[in-house]
Amino acid sequence: MRFLISGAAGFIGSHLCDRLLADGHEVVALDNFITGSKDNVAHLEGHSRFQLYAHDVTQPFFNHTAFDAVLHLASLASPKHYFAHPIETLESGSTATRNMLEVARRDNARFLITSTSEAYGDPEVHPQVETYWGNVNPVGPRSCYDESKRYAEALTMAYHRMHGVKTTIARIFNTYGPRMALDDGRVVPAFIDQALRGEPLTVYGDGSQTRSFCYVRDLVDGLVRLALSDERYPVNLGNPAEMTILQFAEYIRDAVNPSLPIVFHPLPQDDPKRRRPDITKARTILGWEPAVGLGEGLEETIGYFRQRVDRL
Ligand code: UDP
């Protein structure tokens, strides 16, 4: 199949390119490198079935040869980045999503949007099931991301209903692995970076808030299965193994340098208190569930970050 991937030089996008190429597909990759990095796809340069274009998908994309599938990943996914670029973040869910949907409509291609667990906001239902509509502050600091993704979901359903586009919606929960940027600001690279440099680990709040971390290889497998499925409504993709952020800090500290202190900083506004996916739907309709445990995934991730920190 011929795939168009937006956000292809990002953390998840680059792993998705690897997987699709390994499966024998052709990949046309787009990125404007606002948070993605050419380094993430440098190893694919010269691959006969891979083409990379510097393109901002808030601008229309015109292609000469039809695509079989359009996967729209372009987005600023880290709170640090969407706080710094709220308007671009809203644009990636709105204008950019529409541009990518237009390609899928013209080509009669499959379409996948990577939505987010943030669509549930600070959830009152736990674990989060796809039928829960969420608890989102529409004017809070995270709203540029949450509402952008919720709008993107609505736009995607509208293209399905009005134009019959074969759309799918992935709600991605916290994901980690090699190729996250060291200065990404999210908790996994932040703690690993701090631990490798021998600095205190910075826990926000009292660390009792929970997250559930999915290894990127598992996540990408779920995305591929979903993109090829006929499910039109959102599907959660994530690892249901939930832990507190304090437990996670202790885990990273013990894995890298058990003598490091953990320090506490103020909790950012609207930081969700609990997050864990209910993945019954993905298990049932995609036959998917995560296979990589936290120990194995973090070993690979810490190994990757160790090389990066050593090079600085
Ligand atoms: N967090 C933290 N220390 C850090 C970075 C993040 O305690 O240095 C917390 C953050 O407040 C949140 C959780 O870790 O409760 C996950 O944050 P992240 O930015 O990775 O993504 P989120 O799940 O909030 O979108």
Side-chain angles (χ1 to χ4, degrees), residues 195-217:
L196 289 173
R197 292 171 192 272
E199 293 169 3
L201 276 67
T202 54
V203 167
Y204 298 162
D206 62 4
S208 62
Q209 71 272 33
T210 68
R211 294 294 187 272
S212 314
F213 298 102
C214 186
Y215 191 58
V216 66
R217 189 162 59 241

Side-chain angles (χ1 to χ4, degrees), residues 79 82 118 142 174 185-188 190-191 194 202-204 209 211 245 267-268 271-272 275:
Y82 58 70
E118 284 280 334
R142 296 174 90 103
N174 295 67
R186 277 178 289 192
V187 72
V188 177
F191 284 174
Q194 290 161 350
T202 54
V203 167
Y204 298 162
Q209 71 272 33
R211 294 294 187 272
I245 290 301
L267 189 68
D271 198 285
R275 191 184 284 155

